């Protein structure tokens, strides 16, 4: 695929959006990847990482290796994600702390629109796809309602946490950060980062790499052989995640890590039962803003192929 600087800059911006989503517990960067139209390319690119890449480098040179890796795509995306994580994390934490109802309302509208967006990718809805969607919805809802597990310092456990969390990150609808909270590893890992405990960080990173390379191959195979069923399950995942990002919550249990309060258990309530200012009007407006943002992005994406067809030399 021939791309120019503008294309790679656009991919980097999509990485920025993914990174921003991943800084919000309960929102998945995988959802943003799907909305922005790069999800299947991302899964395919990661799934193609194997020993054959180095054989290509040895026999055909670095350029052939880079093209087979789809290096420009993955580097542009990673740069966008890293930039976002290091620049927007404080802003996201501030907004979630000071204006939680409004921020969650925006994400709620965005995710509702993404359900429609992903569902319309399915060529034909059949009984099997409906069942797959219901299963995905039930699994995601169950995950978001689980109580957190006890923490563990076991190195094997940290490896597993890294692998499971990164799998969640690339699944639309499931937040990797939230999975770490559920597994009781969030505090341990954030403390390791704070204390520069490189041994623990390396273990989590190794688990993440193994999980990413393994799970991406599974997803790549599923998209190749059972695309409609896979899309239906992902639609269900995103639908089930709405419970986690519902703006009006009652906190049942929380903990504090340094200056950050982490909610361990909560439940969704109606705006009329919310303890505090429900901000209903502004919340509805932000839900609509999030919803129509996805509609606008989709319309822009639909126009681009027409423009490229009209301008074959671009």
């Amino acid at each position: 695929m021939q791309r120019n600087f503008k294309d790679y800059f656009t991919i980097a911006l999509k990485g920025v959006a993914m990174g921003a989503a991943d800084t919000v517990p309960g929102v998945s960067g995988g959802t943003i990847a799907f909305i922005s139209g790069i999800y299947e390319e991302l899964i395919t690119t990661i799934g193609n990482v194997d020993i054959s890449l180095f054989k290509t480098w040895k026999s055909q040179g670095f350029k052939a290796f880079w093209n087979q890796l789809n290096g420009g795509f993955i580097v542009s995306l990673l740069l966008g994600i890293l930039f976002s994580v290091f620049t927007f994390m404080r802003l996201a934490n501030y907004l979630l702390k000071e204006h939680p109802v409004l921020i969650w309302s925006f994400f709620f509208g965005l995710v509702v629109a993404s359900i429609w967006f992903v569902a319309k990718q399915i060529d034909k809805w059949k009984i099997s796809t409906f069942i797959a969607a219901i299963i995905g919805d039930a699994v995601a809802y169950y995950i978001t309602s689980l109580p957190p597990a006890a923490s563990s310092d076991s190195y094997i456990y940290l490896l597993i946490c890294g692998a499971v969390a990164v799998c969640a990150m690339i699944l639309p609808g499931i937040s990797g950060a939230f999975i770490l909270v559920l597994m009781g590893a969030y505090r341990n890992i954030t403390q390791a980062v704070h204390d520069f405990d490189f041994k623990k960080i390396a273990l989590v990173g190794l688990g993440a790499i193994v999980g990413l390379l393994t799970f991406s191959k599974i997803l790549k195979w599923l998209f190749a052989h059972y695309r409609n069923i896979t899309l239906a399950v992902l639609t269900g995942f995103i639908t089930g995640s709405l419970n986690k990002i519902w703006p009006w919550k009652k906190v049942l249990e929380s903990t504090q890590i340094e200056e950050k309060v982490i909610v361990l258990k909560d439940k969704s309530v109606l705006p009329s039962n919310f303890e505090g200012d429900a901000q209903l009007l502004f919340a509805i407006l932000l839900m609509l803003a999030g919803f129509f943002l996805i509609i606008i992005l989709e319309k822009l994406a639909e126009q681009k192929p027409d423009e490229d067809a009209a301008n074959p030399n671009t």
Side-chain angles (χ1 to χ4, degrees):
M1 184 182 297
Q2 295 296 320
R3 285 181 165 131
N4 55 31
F5 176 79
K6 181 182 177 182
D7 295 326
Y8 288 122
F9 183 72
T10 302
I11 292 168
L13 290 178
K14 293 176 180 180
V16 170
M18 287 179 64
D22 279 325
T23 64
V24 181
V27 181
S28 170
T31 302
I32 303 301
F34 215 116
I35 293 168
S36 60
I38 60 171
Y39 188 78
E40 290 190 51
E41 182 176 0
L42 174 61
I43 295 303
T44 301
T45 299
I46 299 171
N48 286 339
V49 175
D50 54 29
I51 196 67
S52 68
L53 283 169
F54 300 98
K55 292 180 180 177
T56 300
W57 191 350
K58 185 177 180 180
S59 61
Q60 302 178 42
F62 179 78
K63 184 176 181 180
F65 159 84
W66 188 255
N67 289 334
Q68 184 178 335
L69 176 65
N70 198 8
F73 168 81
I74 202 68
V75 168
S76 299
L77 192 66
L78 283 174
L79 287 175
I81 291 172
L82 291 173
F83 174 81
S84 181
V85 168
F86 285 107
T87 55
F88 292 130
M89 184 171 285
R90 289 184 180 275
L91 175 61
N93 289 338
Y94 168 79
L95 291 173
L96 286 171
K97 182 180 178 181
E98 300 297 330
H99 307 285
V101 170
L102 299 181
I103 298 305
W104 286 123
S105 296
F106 175 77
F107 278 112
F108 190 86
L110 186 148
V111 172
V112 168
S114 71
I115 295 169
W116 169 78
F117 178 84
V118 176
K120 69 178 291 192
Q121 310 299 317
I122 298 173
D123 298 326
K124 186 178 181 181
W125 281 89
K126 301 184 293 186
I127 293 177
S128 57
T129 48
F130 275 111
I131 292 173
I134 291 169
I135 291 173
D137 178 82
V139 169
Y141 184 86
Y142 176 71
I143 289 173
T144 62
S145 62
L146 283 173
S151 180
S152 173
D153 287 326
S154 165
Y155 291 150
I156 297 297
Y157 189 69
L158 290 174
L159 277 168
I160 294 172
C161 287
V164 173
V166 80
C167 291
M169 285 179 184
I170 61 174
L171 272 178
I174 300 181
S175 165
F178 180 65
I179 293 298
L180 288 177
V181 172
L182 289 180
M183 296 182 74
Y186 187 90
R187 183 169 189 168
N188 202 348
I189 293 171
T190 53
Q191 192 65 45
V193 173
H194 180 268
D195 296 340
F196 296 102
D197 188 339
F198 293 110
K199 190 172 184 178
K200 287 185 178 180
I201 295 170
L203 285 167
V204 175
L206 178 61
I209 291 171
V210 172
L212 187 63
L213 294 178
T214 304
F215 192 60
S216 62
K217 292 182 186 299
I218 295 171
L219 281 176
K220 178 186 173 184
W221 184 85
L222 288 172
F223 269 107
H225 295 88
Y226 301 99
R227 189 173 188 275
N228 283 346
I229 294 292
T230 303
L231 286 170
V233 172
L234 295 181
T235 302
F237 277 156
I238 301 173
T239 306
S241 74
L242 289 175
N243 173 58
K244 182 61 184 174
I245 58 174
W246 178 251
W248 298 280
K249 296 282 190 180
K250 181 178 181 179
V251 177
L252 303 176
E253 185 181 351
S254 65
T255 186
Q256 186 164 337
I257 300 175
E258 297 176 4
E259 297 180 357
K260 187 175 181 180
V261 176
I262 304 297
V263 176
L264 299 177
K265 189 176 181 181
D266 56 23
K267 69 174 183 178
S268 300
V269 296
L270 293 173
S272 58
N273 296 330
F274 181 69
E275 296 177 358
D277 185 1
Q279 300 175 278
L280 190 57
L281 176 60
F282 289 110
I284 292 173
L285 289 174
L286 282 168
M287 283 183 187
L288 292 173
F291 185 90
F292 285 109
L293 175 63
I294 301 305
I295 304 301
I296 292 169
L297 290 175
E298 186 204 6
K299 295 301 180 185
L300 291 174
E302 287 177 348
Q303 289 175 7
K304 191 176 187 302
D306 296 335
E307 292 171 359
D308 291 343
N311 300 283
N313 295 323
T314 58

